[in-house]
Amino acid sequence: MKPAYDPLLLYIDGEFLGGEGRNTQAVIDPATGMELGRLPHAGTADLERALASAQRAFQSWRLESPLRRSAILRRVAELIRERAGEIGRQLTLDQGKPLAQAVGEVASGAETAEWHAEEGRRVYGRVIPARSADVRQMVLREPVGVCAAFTPWNFPFSQAMHKVAAALAAGCTIILKGPEDSPSALVAMARLFHDAGLPPGCLNLVWGVPHEVSRHLIESPIVRKVSFTGSVPVGKHLASLAGLHMKRVTMELGGHAPVIVCADADVERAADMLAPFKFRNAGQVCVSPTRFFVHSAVYECFVARFLERTAELRVGPGLDPATTMGPLAHGRRVAEMEAFVADARARGADIATGGERLGEEGSYYAPTVVLAPPPDSRLMNEEPFGPLAAIVRFDDLDAAIAEANRLPFGLASYAFTDSARSAHQLATHLQAGMVNINHFGMGPAEVPFGGVKDSGYGSEGGSESLDGYLVTKLVTHMHPAG
């Protein structure tokens, strides 16, 4: 029997629109391969209507009291908490992650909405002392305008909420193009804002062929800001397209996160923390630890403990309470895992566990640990974005840091050490937007999230979150003589 799954809709100018007269595509349950529903694509007229409504709404929303904007975001947070269970259940159906993780992702959106509700009330300018007594110099922070946001399938609700909440809190309006593979959470998000009283046009939700929708929106003179979360190649393409039209851009792109486990670390604690974190959401996480550099003195102990914890994972459908790792989001990811493992085997690496597809139904792949892959293997150079962990030895911390920094990515990094000197060295020299030492400290709404190098630029979260949605205006005013 087909599981209960809400209709998939567009949301344009305050109106929910179905597939009548539009192209549609199937949305598939990655646990079973079963079709869940049909997703309507926005046609050219739909995109133009979304642009026009966002432009019209911006003229009033930009002048709206920050207190009212804050009240709407706070109401959204309340509704998220009321509806998190059902939104999470449908997110599990189309994305695959275990239900507890899906509900947790949705619930985290309430904190995001509340944080931005408060930050939006504190967009301060300043007065600069002038060189003349009859001149007043003021710096104002104003909303940039209509924004276009493109969000990924791995964390569909939380990634979109960061962009939508920041844009609306700053006084911008936004057109959101979500992931066609896992759309239900964003249809639910549009309904949350609709029910919270957000004026029509402030948020629009569209779907379609990704490169066609992104080009149409980015090339429109109405759009003044672009925000994207996704792969490095796509991010570079969208950034270059935005650059041609002088659009502001925030890019949160892929990583290939290194982990450095020093000889003086609490090795068992590190392995106990890292194994479930590595295989969270089947490793389909931009900050997932993937390249593990472990000091030779503790290598055998770490590997043994990490394998023990990996063996405890239970792979299965996300709605099964016993499941701790669900399927990959679609069959394409399974094929990629097979290719990564085949390359590692061919280059002499040891597949300590996993390394194979699981079952005939659904997109399941075993949690996989690869020992001693050589530096030229795909796994040590390309982000696998799946349940693959590569573990290699090191003897010199400087050399480990150099290898961690060798790739062009710089999103997240991790280190475990009980030495203050080593911690300082790691914090200073690891090239990443986020460095986590002895724990995983990223993600809360109050801290910035973003990368360096090919992993992008700009931050989401923290007091930096609104920066990409505001412009700076100088007003200098000379009072009339007399």
Side-chain angles (χ1 to χ4, degrees):
M1 182 177 177
K2 192 173 181 178
Y5 189 72
D6 289 345
L8 299 170
L9 304 165
L10 303 161
Y11 182 63
I12 298 175
D13 199 14
E15 182 180 0
F16 289 94
L17 305 170
E20 302 81 5
R22 298 179 174 87
N23 293 331
T24 64
Q25 73 176 75
V27 175
I28 304 298
D29 180 349
T32 64
M34 178 186 299
E35 181 177 314
L36 294 166
R38 304 291 302 185
L39 182 69
H41 284 197
T44 301
D46 293 318
L47 295 177
E48 286 298 312
R49 182 183 174 196
L51 287 162
S53 70
Q55 183 180 43
R56 183 187 66 252
F58 176 66
Q59 303 310 315
S60 56
W61 186 249
R62 66 186 293 271
L63 301 175
E64 186 58 79
S65 163
L67 297 180
R68 181 171 180 236
R69 297 200 293 251
S70 176
I72 290 174
L73 286 167
R74 286 194 168 279
R75 179 56 182 154
V76 167
E78 293 173 358
L79 293 174
I80 289 172
R81 293 190 172 101
E82 293 173 9
R83 304 176 187 179
E86 180 57 23
I87 297 173
R89 188 189 69 81
Q90 298 203 37
L91 192 161
T92 290
L93 284 174
D94 60 29
Q95 201 279 333
K97 67 182 63 176
L99 179 60
Q101 294 181 25
V103 173
E105 175 189 340
V106 175
S108 73
E111 287 193 1
T112 301
E114 287 174 338
W115 171 262
H116 288 90
E118 290 304 304
E119 285 299 292
R121 296 171 61 174
R122 294 167 175 80
V123 178
Y124 301 136
R126 68 186 193 275
V127 175
I128 301 173
R131 301 185 181 192
S132 174
D134 56 354
V135 171
R136 176 64 59 89
Q137 299 177 145
M138 296 176 292
V139 176
L140 308 179
R141 307 295 306 283
E142 297 185 340
V144 64
V146 176
C147 306
F150 307 92
T151 57
W153 48 260
N154 58 335
F155 289 92
F157 192 88
S158 63
Q159 291 289 339
M161 182 58 73
H162 274 96
K163 300 179 191 303
V164 172
L168 295 176
C172 299
T173 57
I174 187 166
I175 303 170
L176 178 62
K177 205 293 288 181
E180 286 75 18
D181 288 320
S182 51
S184 66
L186 296 197
V187 177
M189 181 183 293
R191 198 167 294 283
L192 289 165
F193 279 95
H194 182 88
D195 293 349
L198 184 70
C202 290
L203 169 64
N204 296 273
L205 175 64
V206 298
W207 314 97
V209 178
H211 73 272
E212 294 177 359
V213 175
S214 59
R215 178 172 290 277
H216 192 105
L217 295 180
I218 293 173
E219 289 185 344
S220 169
I222 291 173
V223 170
R224 298 310 313 157
K225 161 71 193 284
V226 176
S227 182
F228 172 78
T229 298
S231 71
V232 172
V234 174
K236 288 183 173 180
H237 171 70
L238 296 185
S240 64
L241 185 60
L244 289 174
H245 301 277
M246 294 303 294
K247 307 291 174 75
R248 290 186 173 224
V249 176
T250 298
M251 289 280 150
E252 197 269 279
L253 308 182
H256 198 345
V259 181
I260 296 177
V261 181
C262 297
D264 57 17
D266 184 336
V267 175
E268 292 188 349
R269 176 178 178 271
D272 289 349
M273 293 175 64
L274 284 163
F277 191 65
K278 165 65 230 179
F279 297 110
R280 180 174 65 111
N281 199 24
Q284 300 167 125
V285 185
C286 58
V287 296
S288 180
T290 300
R291 297 179 294 143
F292 292 70
F293 303 100
V294 182
H295 195 279
S296 292
V298 296
Y299 179 85
E300 301 297 341
C301 177
F302 178 86
V303 169
R305 186 77 166 204
F306 192 88
L307 289 172
E308 286 178 15
R309 294 294 172 259
T310 301
E312 294 171 356
L313 295 169
R314 294 293 176 263
V315 180
L319 293 181
D320 184 339
T323 293
T324 53
M325 190 184 103
L328 277 73
H330 40 66
R332 299 188 301 276
R333 301 308 313 150
V334 176
E336 275 294 288
M337 297 309 102
E338 292 175 328
F340 272 101
V341 170
D343 176 79
R345 278 200 178 102
R347 296 175 187 275
D350 175 22
I351 311 303
T353 189
E356 60 187 2
R357 180 191 296 260
L358 298 177
E360 300 297 325
E361 183 181 80
S363 301
Y364 294 99
Y365 197 83
T368 299
V369 179
V370 181
L371 302 180
D376 63 349
S377 63
R378 283 190 65 192
L379 187 52
M380 295 302 287
N381 291 276
E382 302 174 32
E383 182 183 26
F385 215 68
L388 307 184
I391 308 179
V392 299
R393 299 174 183 264
F394 79 88
D395 293 299
D396 177 75
L397 183 56
D398 286 332
I401 292 173
E403 180 62 19
N405 292 337
R406 176 177 62 85
L407 301 185
F409 313 111
L411 187 57
S413 61
Y414 308 90
F416 289 81
T417 178
D418 283 348
S419 163
R421 180 185 295 274
S422 295
H424 177 73
Q425 184 178 356
L426 289 157
T428 301
H429 295 291
L430 281 171
Q431 297 172 4
M434 299 170 287
V435 178
N436 302 262
I437 300 176
N438 293 332
H439 79 138
F440 312 128
M442 307 165 300
E446 65 270 17
V447 301
F449 189 103
V452 297
K453 301 195 292 186
D454 277 9
S455 291
Y457 43 82
S459 294
E460 295 182 330
S463 59
E464 295 83 359
S465 185
L466 299 187
D467 289 347
Y469 297 92
L470 296 167
V471 295
T472 299
K473 176 191 285 186
L474 169 67
V475 177
T476 179
H477 175 202
M478 177 177 282
H479 298 284

